Amino acid sequence: MAGATNRGIVFECRGVHHAFGPNMVLHDVNFRIVRGEIVALVGPSGCGKSTLLRAIVGTHPPGRGRILVGRRGAAEMAEVAEPGRDRGIVYQRYSLFPFLTAQQNVALGPMLDQTSLAFRAFRFPSWRRLRRRHMEEAAELLARVGLGKALKLYPHEMSGGMCQRVAIAQALIMKPEILLLDEPFGALDEATREELQRMLLTLYAENCRAAGRGEEPPLTVLIVTHEINEAIFVGDRVLGLSQYWDWRGAGHAACPGATIVYDKAVPVCAPDADRNFDLFRDRRREILDVVFSPEVLPDREKHCLFWRQLENGEGQGVLQPWATAATTSGAGRDGSSTPGRPGPSS
Amino acid sequence: MIRQPASMRAKVVLGAMAVVLMLAGYTVLSERQHRLNPDDTTIPTWSLLGRGVSRIVEVGRVVPGSEESRSWLARQKTRWLVADASATGYRLFLGLLLGVAGAVVLGLLMGCFEKVEAFFAPPLSLLAKVPPTAILAVFFVLTQTYTQMCVAMVAFGILPTMAQAIYLGVKEVPRELIYKAYTLGASHAEVVWNVILRQVLPKIIDGVRLQIGPAMVFLIAAEWLGGEVGFGCRIRLESRLAHMHTVYPYLALLAGFGFGMDAALRRLQRWLCPWCAGGC
C-alpha cells in the first residue's frame, strides 16, 4: 500500500492505537525516523514499549494506525503488517538460534532470504556454492564485530555479550531498513554493556561518514531501553513513550493509553567519547520528569520538539545535512513541529 | 552431600559392582534352589542356562529335501534366535517408524497451528490415558494379519504420548526465535523445518528413547496372544513348559536389544544435535 513520500524518512508510525480488550495501551503514537539515526525509545514499565515494538516487527499489528517503512530505491513508503526482512530485531533473550554456531546463525538470514526449501533440496550443487559464500560473508561480519575467533562456537559456549554481538551481526547481514533492539544490553554486565554501546556508536560513525559523502547511511536503529543514560549516550534522539500525559486536557475522560510525550535530539557521542553520564544530568532529569513521573502530566506536544530542533539547525551526526538544509532554505523558525519536513537535497 | 559429583572412574566401578552383585546373587539363589530340587527349572543354574542358550542359537530340525537343507540362508532362519529376532525386530521397527512419523507430524501441526491443536488435543489426551494393552482386542479384530496387529499395537501405543510430548516441545520454542526467523525472510514452511524442527529434534529423539520400553511391552503383549515366531511367542511357549533356562536368555536379549537401541539413539542425538552436548 502506498504511503507518504520517502525522502530520507525510513520509518513512520502513523496514528498507532492498540488495546488489549478494554485495556488501552497505545494512543495515537506518531513518529518518523530519519535514515541513519539511532533513536532511543524510553518509557516507564508497562507503558507499552514492547507492544509498540511488536507492532513494528509485525507480529502483533496495531489495532488502528499504520506502520510505514521506506525501502531503499522506493519512491513511497510501504505499509507493513507482518514480519519482514526490512525490519531486523535483536531481543534481550533468545537472541540466537541455539542449534547453530555463531557463523551459521549469521549465515541463516541470507540462506532463508535467497533460497527456498526446494532450491536447497533439489539444486544441491548450486546451493553448496551459495552456502559457501554466505558463510564467508558471515565470517567477515563476525570479524567486524570482533568475533573472528568465535565462528564455530554455539550460543551456550559464548558469553552474553558475545551472543548479542552475533545477534547484531545476524541482523546486519540482512541490511534491514531499520534495526530494532529490544533492551538488548539489559542482561549484560556493565563492562560488556559499554563495549556494545561503543560498537553501536562505531556503526553510527559509519552512518555519519556516509551522510557526509552524500550517500545513504547504511543503518538505522530504534533501541528500546529502560536505561536513560544509555539512551542519551547511544542515541542521537530520544523518544519518550508514557501513559503520564495530560489526557484530561486533551478531552479524554480516562487515560486512552500511552503516547509519545518526549521527542528531542540529543548530543551525539563519538565511539571513543568519555562515558561521563554527569554530562547528561540535566537531560536525564528532564526525561525523568516528563516521561517517568506520574506527578508531572505534560501536554503531549510540549516536549516533542525534534523536528523544530532540525528546522532551527540543531541536528548533529546524520541529522546535520537535514539541519543545514532547513537553515539554508529558511524553513522553520515559525514554531511548527509538524513532523516529516522535506529532507536534505542529497 | 546431596548432588556431590562423582568421578567417571567411581561411576564405572559402582556400575560394574552392581552388575557383579546381581549376577552373584542369582548364582547363590540358583545353587540353593538346585540343592533343594535338582530338577528345578524356575531358577536354572548357569550350566542349564548355557544349554538354553545353545537351544536358542542352534540350527533347527531340517527335513531332508526341504528348502532349508538346500539353502544356507534358509537354514539360518531355523535358528530360534534368527527367526524370533527378525520377526520381533521387523514388527518393532515398523511400529516405531509409523508411530514416530505420525507423532512428529501431529505434534508439529498441533504445536504450530492452534486450530489443529483445538481439534486434536482432547481426543489425544483421552487416547493417551487408555492402556494400549487394553485395546488389544480392538486391533485383533480390526487388523487383517498377526503382524499388522503387532505393528498397530506398537504404533498406536506410542503415538498419543509421543505426539503430546512433541506438541508441548513445539509450544516451548520461544516465540522470539520464530519472529526472528520471519524477520530473516523465512517462509512458514522454513520456520517449521529450519527452526522448530531443529529446536525440538533432541526432544523427539529423547521421546523415541523413552518410548522404546513401552513399545516393547506392547509388542510382547501382542506377540503373547498368538503366532509362532517372535520373542513374545517364544517366551509364552517356553514359560508354559517351565523352560526358564530358555526364557531368561530371551529376557536378557530383550534387555540388550533395548539397551542397544537406546545407545544408538543417544549417539544419533550427539551426531545430529551437537549443540545439545551439555544438555538442551
Side-chain angles (χ1 to χ4, degrees), chain A residues 59 85 89 95 120 156 170, chain B residues 179-180 183 190 194 274-275:
Chain A
T59 54
R85 57 150 297 171
I89 176 100
S95 56
R120 297 195 287 273
H156 73 272
Q170 188 185 49
Chain B
Y179 298 158
K180 177 166 251 191
T183 66
E190 283 172 323
N194 291 96
W275 57 283

Side-chain angles (χ1 to χ4, degrees), chain A residues 116-162:
Chain A
S116 64
L117 277 173
F119 178 85
R120 297 195 287 273
F122 300 117
R123 296 186 60 190
F124 193 68
S126 311
W127 160 231
R128 275 194 65 172
R129 276 195 299 278
L130 200 58
R131 176 69 174 165
R132 205 173 302 129
R133 212 180 70 210
H134 293 161
M135 294 296 266
E136 284 165 9
E137 280 174 26
E140 277 170 30
L141 202 51
L142 282 169
R144 209 173 121 199
V145 295
L147 290 175
K149 289 180 180 166
L151 304 182
K152 305 292 175 211
L153 295 184
Y154 284 96
H156 73 272
E157 297 169 320
M158 293 189 280
S159 68
M162 288 166 86

Side-chain angles (χ1 to χ4, degrees), chain A residues 41 58 65 75 119 135 142 154 186 259 263 277 302 314:
Chain A
L41 177 69
F119 178 85
M135 294 296 266
L142 282 169
Y154 284 96
T259 192
D263 183 2
F277 293 145
K302 190 178 167 192
E314 290 176 37

Side-chain angles (χ1 to χ4, degrees), chain B residues 5 54 89 113 167-168 173 226 251 262:
Chain B
S54 312
F113 305 104
Y167 139 70
L168 292 175
V173 175
L251 296 184
D262 189 63

Side-chain angles (χ1 to χ4, degrees), chain A residues 57 59-60 83-85 87 89 91 94-99 109 111-113 115-117 120 154 156 167 170 174, chain B residues 174-187 189-191 193-196 198-199 274-278:
Chain A
V57 174
T59 54
H60 299 72
R85 57 150 297 171
R87 284 146 291 147
I89 176 100
Y91 293 105
Y94 311 118
S95 56
L96 293 176
F97 298 96
F99 46 83
M111 178 189 98
L112 294 172
D113 188 47
T115 65
S116 64
L117 277 173
R120 297 195 287 273
Y154 284 96
H156 73 272
Q170 188 185 49
M174 299 300 290
Chain B
R175 282 170 183 269
E176 287 86 347
L177 287 187
I178 295 171
Y179 298 158
K180 177 166 251 191
Y182 281 122
T183 66
L184 295 175
S187 63
E190 283 172 323
V191 169
W193 181 255
N194 291 96
V195 177
I196 295 175
R198 292 286 308 268
Q199 180 94 4
W275 57 283
C276 230

